[in-house]
Amino acid sequence: MQDPIGLPACFSSSEKPSDDTATVTRSGQSVLMSVFRTKIADQCRLITVTWCKNLLLHGLSVSVDGPEGESQYTCKVELKPWYFWRKQGSRRFIVDGKAVDIFWDLKAAKFNGETEPGSEYYVAVVCDEEVVLLLGDLKKDAYRKTGGRPALIDPILVSRKEHIFGKKKFSTRVKFHEKGRFHKISIECKNRSTTSGNMSNVNSLDGVEPEMEIRIDGHLVLHVKHLQWKFRGNESIHVNKTRVEVYWDVHDWLFSPGLRHALFIFKPILLSTSLSSLSTASSPPLSSSLPSTPLSSQTGSSGSLEGLNPSGSSEFCLFLYAWKVE
C-alpha cells in the first residue's frame, strides 16, 4: 500500500512535504490534518489546518488554496518550549488581491498529550473583516483580537486525516457531524493462537490467526476474523442512528516488513443522501468486498470520497493512518 501521504513540514520552514514513508518513520510524529471549505476572496476555497507533535514540540500549519487549487499560502508555527513569543501572533497573505490574516493564541493551550489542543486556545482566519474560520474555545478573545465579525457562511469540515502510532491498539476522537458530540474510535489488532489439531492452522500466519476489533465509545461495532484473508474490506455500522461506512486496508500490517501503516476510512452517510455506490447492504462477504485493489489507490492523495456528495457535512471523511510499531 504505497500511498502518497503528503506529510506537511510543520517543524521547519526549509523542510518540504514528502511522499516517502521514511519521513514519518524518521520523525515519529503524530499528524492531524483538518480540511475546511469556506468563502475567501470571493471564491470557495479549502483551508487546511495541520497539527503535528513529536517528542520535542508541537507544530501548527495553516494553508489556504491559491487560484489553481494549490496550497500556495502557508503559515507555520513551531511551539518550542523556549520560544514563548511564537505561541501568539498573526500573519498576512494576499490572496487574489485581498488580505487574509491568520491569528493564533496558543500561550495557554492544553494539549493533554494529544496532537491537537483541547481547550484554552484559538486559531482564526480573517478576510474582508469576516472571521471565515475559527477554531478553539477562546472565541471572545479571537473576535476582540481580530476585530472581525462572524462570517455569513459557516465553514464546512470536509475531511480529517490523522497519523497515529501504536503497537496493537490505536484510538482517536471524531465528530461525525459538526453539531454532534465527539466519539472515541478504538482499533485493536489481535493474534489468536491456533491449536495443532485445528484445520485452520493451514491458513494461519506462523501459528496465529490475526483478527481486528473496532469499538466506538467502548462498544464493539466491528469484529473481523481471519484478517489474513480479509485484510481489505468495508462494512456499514450505526452510531446513534447515523450510518457510517467503514473501509479498511491492513495489508501492510500483515505482509510488509518494517514500519508500515494501515488505512481506515470512516464515512458518515446522511439518511437524505443517496449514495447507493457506497452501500454494502447487498455486497458480497467481507473477504471479497475489496478483493485486490489497495484502498489507498481508491482514495487518492486527497481522498476522492470527499466529493461524492456536494451538499454540506455529508461529504465528511475521516482518514486514519495507523502506524504499527513492533
Side-chain angles (χ1 to χ4, degrees):
M1 184 172 56
Q2 300 302 318
D3 177 31
I5 58 180
L7 269 178
C10 285
F11 299 114
S12 174
S13 58
S14 61
E15 186 179 353
K16 294 181 180 180
S18 172
D19 291 341
D20 188 357
T21 55
T23 302
V24 183
T25 306
R26 287 194 305 267
S27 63
Q29 66 187 34
S30 298
V31 181
L32 175 59
M33 303 172 63
S34 298
V35 180
F36 299 86
R37 179 180 290 115
T38 189
K39 186 177 180 181
I40 297 181
D42 300 324
Q43 289 189 21
C44 186
R45 302 175 188 268
L46 296 180
I47 301 176
T48 302
V49 179
T50 304
W51 298 93
C52 303
K53 182 191 73 167
N54 62 18
L55 294 177
L56 297 178
L57 52 86
H58 283 82
L60 166 66
S61 173
V62 181
S63 299
V64 179
D65 271 4
E68 303 300 326
E70 300 178 355
S71 297
Q72 296 187 356
Y73 311 93
T74 303
C75 170
K76 298 174 185 176
V77 182
E78 289 182 344
L79 304 182
K80 295 180 180 179
W82 51 91
Y83 285 165
F84 295 101
W85 60 275
R86 293 297 302 273
K87 297 184 179 182
Q88 181 181 25
S90 64
R91 182 175 176 182
R92 170 166 291 188
F93 306 135
I94 301 299
V95 180
D96 289 353
K98 292 194 175 183
V100 176
D101 294 291
I102 314 293
F103 294 85
W104 66 90
D105 187 346
L106 305 168
K107 298 191 307 296
K110 290 181 169 48
F111 287 90
N112 297 323
E114 300 295 332
T115 307
E116 181 183 32
S119 62
E120 301 297 322
Y121 80 103
Y122 71 77
V123 177
V125 181
V126 181
C127 182
D128 287 335
E129 299 182 349
E130 286 189 346
V131 181
V132 296
L133 178 64
L134 178 56
L135 306 178
D137 57 333
L138 301 182
K139 300 186 184 299
K140 291 183 179 180
D141 293 349
Y143 284 116
R144 182 170 59 251
K145 179 66 176 180
T146 63
R149 62 183 182 276
L152 298 177
I153 300 176
D154 291 332
I156 297 172
L157 179 59
V158 176
S159 69
R160 284 169 69 91
K161 296 183 181 182
E162 187 168 3
H163 296 257
I164 56 178
F165 291 78
K167 291 185 177 181
K168 294 183 178 180
K169 194 171 183 179
F170 307 83
S171 61
T172 186
R173 295 195 319 146
V174 67
K175 285 183 179 181
F176 291 118
H177 299 292
E178 190 62 30
K179 295 182 179 180
R181 66 179 181 88
F182 275 103
H183 296 279
K184 182 179 180 180
I185 297 177
S186 176
I187 301 171
E188 186 172 5
C189 186
K190 299 180 178 181
N191 288 325
R192 183 170 60 88
S193 298
T194 58
T195 61
S196 58
N198 194 337
M199 291 299 295
S200 62
N201 240 359
V202 179
N203 299 325
S204 65
L205 293 175
D206 297 328
V208 297
E209 287 190 358
E211 54 186 35
M212 179 180 66
E213 294 181 353
I214 298 180
R215 298 177 183 270
I216 296 184
D217 298 329
H219 302 289
L220 181 64
V221 296
L222 183 60
H223 185 194
V224 182
K225 297 181 179 180
H226 310 297
L227 197 59
Q228 70 272 26
W229 301 113
K230 302 175 183 178
F231 49 82
R232 297 187 185 110
N234 63 289
E235 187 167 310
S236 295
I237 64 173
H238 286 82
V239 181
N240 292 347
K241 299 182 180 179
T242 299
R243 189 172 123 228
V244 179
E245 295 289 335
V246 181
Y247 301 79
W248 67 89
D249 185 341
V250 300
H251 175 275
D252 286 4
W253 271 3
L254 303 174
F255 305 111
S256 296
L259 177 62
R260 294 293 180 180
H261 68 272
L263 173 59
F264 299 87
I265 298 178
F266 295 82
K267 167 76 177 172
I269 306 296
L270 298 184
L271 294 178
S272 59
T273 303
S274 177
L275 292 177
S276 58
S277 62
L278 285 180
S279 176
T280 56
S282 58
S283 63
L286 290 178
S287 59
S288 59
S289 296
L290 294 174
S292 59
T293 307
L295 188 56
S296 56
S297 66
Q298 299 179 24
T299 61
S301 60
S302 61
S304 59
L305 289 174
E306 295 168 10
L308 283 176
N309 183 14
S311 60
S313 60
S314 58
E315 59 183 312
F316 170 75
C317 277
L318 168 66
F319 298 85
L320 186 61
Y321 296 83
W323 294 82
K324 194 172 183 181
V325 181
E326 297 296 338

